Amino acid sequence: MLGVSALGPEARAWLVADGTVELDAIEAALARLVATPDALPRALADDTTAALAALAALRDPGTAAHAAVAPRLGLLGALAEPAPPAVEHAPPPAVAVARPLLDHVTHALAGLARLERGVALDPAMTAAITAAAVDEVATLGQVGALPAVRVALLHLAVAKGGDVATRRAWAAAGVNLDVHNLGAEDLLADDATLAGYALDDAARALVRALVANHGLAGQHLRGETPASAFAPLRAALPSLPPYAAAALHVINLCDTAAVRPGLVDDALATELTALRDRLVEALPATRPLAERLRRLRAGRQRAGEPARAVDDAVAALAPATAATLTARLADAQLWYCEAATASLSPAAQLKVLAAAAGAATRAGVAVGEPWHAQLGALVPRLFGDGARVRYRVRVVEAQLAAVSVDELLGGAAPPGPLGAFAATLGRDRCVVLDWQPSDEADALVTLLSIYETKSSAAFHATLKALCDLYGLRKDEFDRVANEADYLATMNAARSDKERMLDHCQPGRVVEVGPGGGVVLDLLEARLPDSDVLGVDVSTEVIAALEARRAREGRRWRVHHADAFALPELCPPGTVDTVIFCSILHEIYSYVAYPGDDGSPPRRFRTEAVRDLLRAAFTTLRVGGRLVIRDGVAPPPGVRRLTLLADDARPMLELFAAQFEGRAIRWTELADGRIEMSTPDAMEFLYTYTWGPASFPYEVREQYGVMAYDAYVEAIVGWLGGPDTAVAVALPPGERSYLQPGYRDGLAGKVELTDEHDRPTPLPDSNCLIVVERRT
């Protein structure tokens, strides 16, 4: 072993941090390359470890190893260009200079080295699948094909690399830089490049075919590449060595495994193997639009997005529109589509694809033949977890909602106030699509990402108004931006929610509006033999719950449905318990409902609560129960408030100006205190405890719909009276109570007295109502 004189410090640091390549073997191989530089690049074709050593030398410009090796590597020097980490790849080791292309090719070659040694390519692969891959590599070695495989692996990503001057020269020479497979093949068109590896004509042709077609199998499985993309390879197979399909399969396995550990599991390896076997035959016909979209959203669907979300988006298209979009995409190769668009809703993702197809048609591309849609420019805009990306996704969705698929397919969708798509025509029938935000959109995204750090209710309210101006509900942004906090809030007060379970009848138990799922968890634990189902109209809630259900192995199920139509999901007489946990006040506050007197729909009508409870009551068997936990209005009365906190008075004034449930009034007292009705005080105080970030949408809700006794009497009456429904008697401490969090949240901020200046407790915040079906 030569030691540090051969292996430079950056390479050593990377190899140690990465841990996937044997340091001693690389250092010894590099020492041999430095000692016999004329053996390059033939040594790279003949020995995987030598190829890895040469790549390691590229990490340390200025060292003796780099001086000896780099000038003889030709195109491979482009891999060493520093760049940001690659999208969807595992995070790179923490080293001074990020070289993601070099990282990827090194990992791909390291995978080949593992298979050559009989070791699993990926930790997710079982012994049987590993053995098949090891045998395939061994067979390729016996027929002398591994040199072509190594050279192809070395050159897969070269067209992505290079500095600005190099890429400008490549573009001037006609290299396709929009589609990197074809670009890499262009760079290898000069046989002089491959001649240095001492490959014969058949091996050179194989290298070019492997480079041009690498990764297409995986992209086909994820919906990005159509079957027609394999036509050139199938046409070339008779002129290629008989092991070409096997060599491409090994390339694809190593290239995919290099993205991140765990990606190539048995299922994916089996799918890739089956596709290899079909390469010599005709691949399946064009996929239906829903199936292709579902594959493009595979990551989202594994994370819990309902499969029907895709079906609903496709079903919403007119049949002629769906047929046109399917036909235009049938031969489209969609580059970076999953990373660029999967964060969008299925309907918005379809519109991006329609925009690409429309741009291609407008540019004169014959979309009935193979063509390319390059969506890589959308990746930095729409991929990631940062605040700006999350908000930009919603801005793009809002803008797309304003245009139709037909307009986009026509290629002339008008720009909106938030931006528009822009397309250019590249080489080899490639349309490059990007989103061009307006100045307004950029400003909106900036403000929305800043507001998360603010604590002023007025600031949040102003941004809500700004969002409303563009048709963006601010609470939707808040829930996306603070999803973890939101679900934690929904799952808080676990012990308080447990009291509901004492009154549930086992059997089939349905929760309407399950939120973060804590009640579903409690029901599953308390009633292990019951069928527990959550029903919610929000696709975001259902997706989050389905993801958690799969992740945690939960038995409860969830269903995306409108609870007003609950009898369609659960026929009458089939349910034992229906639970409403903090959902009825939202129905009252948000659902615009017509009046019994024929008046037009508006919010804050008890008719909406009534009809929802009637729908749920219909599903109950005799003896079944409605279990309701929600806000409760206090009895009529007067309360005096001393506002101690600096933000209390501004918050009260803003609350009175913006509360949508009813007019809020108070009287100023001589000593600076205020006097207001007990129900108004309750609504203000409990909104105040939620804080500025929640304020803009808390003022849209009325938490206390009715006082306890009036509520119970109304519910029993709505459900047919005492002959049909009976309220279960509960202890006073369960009927109506104060959650401790409100008391703790207001301590030191507000003091409360009655109209005689006697200290008085806060009004009850919650109630529990249980109604049983008699007949």
Side-chain angles (χ1 to χ4, degrees):
M1 188 175 74
L2 187 61
V4 294
S5 60
L7 195 60
E10 185 73 13
R12 177 177 292 277
W14 188 92
L15 292 168
V16 170
D18 186 72
T20 59
V21 176
E22 294 183 7
L23 185 64
D24 289 350
I26 296 299
E27 193 156 30
L30 184 56
R32 290 192 295 271
L33 292 177
V34 171
T36 57
D38 292 340
L40 280 166
R42 177 67 200 190
L44 278 59
D46 289 341
D47 182 4
T48 305
T49 303
L52 289 166
L55 296 181
L58 290 177
R59 296 184 183 275
D60 287 282
T63 62
H66 185 277
V69 172
R72 292 172 171 80
L73 294 183
L75 292 172
L76 299 184
L79 299 174
E81 187 66 21
V87 65
E88 294 186 312
H89 287 233
V95 292
V97 181
R99 305 180 194 274
L101 296 180
L102 205 54
D103 294 351
H104 180 78
V105 174
T106 299
H107 286 148
L109 281 164
L112 177 63
R114 285 193 290 272
L115 292 176
E116 289 180 272
R117 299 196 308 269
V119 179
L121 173 67
D122 191 288
M125 293 171 60
T126 62
I129 297 296
T130 296
V134 168
D135 288 345
E136 192 157 34
V137 169
T139 300
L140 290 173
Q142 292 169 3
V143 298
L146 285 183
V149 170
R150 294 186 190 101
V151 172
L153 283 172
L154 283 166
H155 290 81
L156 297 183
V158 290
K160 295 180 181 180
D163 58 21
V164 173
T166 298
R167 295 185 65 78
R168 188 178 295 118
W170 285 347
V175 175
N176 189 337
L177 299 182
D178 295 322
V179 181
H180 75 272
N181 286 44
L182 301 183
E185 184 187 25
D186 290 341
L187 291 171
L188 293 175
D190 179 5
D191 275 348
T193 299
L194 295 178
Y197 295 101
L199 301 176
D200 59 26
D201 291 344
R204 295 178 196 177
L206 177 60
V207 168
R208 287 191 289 267
L210 295 176
V211 168
N213 293 278
H214 83 275
L216 299 189
Q219 289 171 282
H220 180 69
L221 295 178
R222 61 196 278 176
E224 293 180 329
T225 294
S228 58
F230 295 95
L233 176 61
R234 286 200 304 274
L237 282 176
S239 63
L240 293 174
Y243 45 76
L248 181 59
H249 179 56
V250 169
I251 291 279
N252 286 332
L253 285 174
C254 294
D255 183 39
T256 306
V259 172
R260 59 181 179 273
L263 182 57
V264 183
D265 55 12
D266 283 11
L268 180 55
T270 300
E271 285 190 286
L272 288 171
T273 300
L275 191 57
R276 173 205 66 191
D277 295 339
R278 295 200 304 270
L279 274 178
V280 295
E281 307 166 2
L283 288 174
T286 301
R287 290 187 174 116
L289 185 59
E291 180 187 345
R292 189 167 188 189
L293 186 62
R294 193 171 292 111
R295 287 179 178 269
L296 288 171
R297 303 186 68 79
R300 289 289 295 270
Q301 301 235 322
R302 283 193 300 271
E305 178 181 83
R308 60 187 168 275
V310 166
D311 296 326
D312 291 346
V314 174
L317 301 176
T321 301
T324 300
L325 182 57
T326 301
R328 293 193 187 180
L329 294 177
D331 294 300
Q333 190 162 346
L334 309 173
W335 294 93
Y336 295 99
C337 185
E338 184 174 17
T341 65
S343 58
L344 298 168
S345 68
Q349 190 175 25
L350 279 176
K351 289 186 175 182
V352 174
L353 300 182
T361 303
R362 191 178 178 91
V365 174
V367 293
E369 303 171 6
W371 63 284
H372 301 273
Q374 175 56 265
L375 308 180
L378 296 175
V379 173
R381 299 189 186 278
L382 304 178
F383 180 87
D385 297 322
R388 293 184 64 86
V389 171
R390 290 195 304 269
Y391 294 135
R392 194 179 294 115
V393 165
R394 294 306 176 93
V395 166
V396 170
E397 287 182 340
Q399 186 63 57
L400 287 172
V403 296
S404 69
V405 171
D406 287 323
E407 286 178 302
L408 293 164
L409 284 171
L418 298 176
F421 284 107
T424 56
L425 183 63
R427 296 181 57 83
D428 297 310
R429 305 161 57 80
C430 178
V431 170
V432 181
L433 194 70
D434 195 6
W435 170 261
Q436 297 295 335
S438 67
D439 291 343
E440 295 166 81
D442 280 339
L444 186 60
V445 167
T446 298
L447 284 173
L448 285 167
S449 56
I450 290 173
Y451 96 89
E452 295 181 17
T453 64
K454 300 295 184 179
S455 59
S456 165
F459 189 84
H460 287 257
T462 300
L463 278 176
K464 174 185 177 297
L466 186 59
C467 289
D468 290 345
L469 180 65
Y470 291 98
L472 307 170
R473 274 187 55 186
K474 182 177 179 295
D475 56 323
E476 293 294 335
F477 285 105
D478 290 327
R479 290 193 176 190
V480 171
N482 304 295
E483 183 175 354
D485 293 340
Y486 172 69
L487 292 179
T489 299
M490 293 296 288
N491 285 338
R494 188 182 184 93
S495 61
D496 175 44
K497 295 177 181 179
E498 280 186 299
R499 71 180 71 196
M500 295 188 301
L501 276 60
D502 295 334
H503 307 285
C504 293
Q505 301 285 31
R508 192 173 197 193
V509 182
V510 177
E511 184 188 7
V512 174
V518 66
V519 174
L520 297 177
D521 294 345
L522 293 170
L523 288 167
E524 178 178 292
R526 179 74 70 88
L527 305 173
D529 297 324
S530 291
D531 175 25
V532 179
L533 175 68
V535 177
D536 205 293
V537 74
S538 167
T539 55
E540 284 90 355
V541 167
I542 292 297
L545 288 173
E546 286 191 336
R548 190 161 74 80
R549 176 178 181 266
R551 185 171 63 248
E552 299 176 5
R554 295 288 180 177
R555 289 186 298 102
W556 45 256
R557 299 175 295 116
V558 290
H559 193 85
H560 180 242
D562 186 342
F564 283 90
L566 194 59
E568 299 176 12
L569 179 64
C570 304
T574 63
V575 176
D576 296 275
T577 302
V578 179
I579 294 176
F580 297 91
C581 184
S582 294
I583 196 68
L584 292 184
H585 79 276
E586 295 196 355
I587 298 298
Y588 176 72
S589 300
Y590 287 111
V591 175
Y593 215 75
D596 289 343
D597 58 0
S599 56
R602 65 171 176 81
R603 295 161 56 209
F604 304 104
R605 284 193 191 273
T606 55
E607 288 93 331
V609 178
R610 176 197 67 192
D611 288 358
L612 178 61
L613 291 175
R614 284 176 175 174
F617 194 71
T618 299
T619 70
L620 294 180
R621 64 168 177 80
V622 175
R625 291 179 170 181
L626 301 182
V627 178
I628 301 165
R629 172 192 176 272
D630 215 306
V632 61
V638 174
R639 291 293 181 264
R640 292 177 173 176
L641 283 66
T642 304
L643 305 176
L644 302 174
D646 292 340
D647 66 341
R649 168 69 70 158
M651 186 77 88
L652 172 63
E653 293 173 352
L654 197 61
F655 175 78
Q658 298 193 2
F659 183 62
E660 298 180 12
R662 60 174 181 266
I664 301 294
R665 297 181 176 88
W666 70 83
T667 300
E668 297 281 354
L669 301 179
D671 58 3
R673 292 181 299 162
I674 64 167
E675 184 176 274
M676 61 197 311
S677 74
T678 307
D680 284 358
M682 175 262 200
E683 291 292 344
F684 163 64
L685 291 172
Y686 297 159
T687 296
Y688 181 33
T689 62
W690 281 91
S694 297
F695 181 88
Y697 48 85
E698 291 300 328
V699 294
R700 305 185 77 222
E701 302 178 7
Q702 182 172 318
Y703 191 48
V705 176
M706 294 186 193
Y708 187 85
D709 290 334
Y711 212 171
V712 173
E713 182 180 356
I715 291 172
V716 171
W718 292 337
L719 302 179
D723 292 338
T724 304
V726 60
V728 176
L730 302 175
E734 287 192 23
R735 288 160 41 96
S736 180
Y737 57 92
L738 174 67
Q739 283 188 283
Y742 289 115
R743 182 178 58 244
D744 298 341
L746 291 168
K749 297 180 178 180
V750 178
E751 290 181 354
L752 200 65
T753 65
D754 63 15
E755 67 270 34
H756 304 294
D757 292 331
R758 294 175 300 202
T760 186
L762 292 168
D764 286 348
S765 60
N766 286 70
C767 69
L768 183 62
I769 300 173
V770 181
V771 179
E772 187 171 299
R773 185 180 188 109
R774 278 187 165 177
T775 59

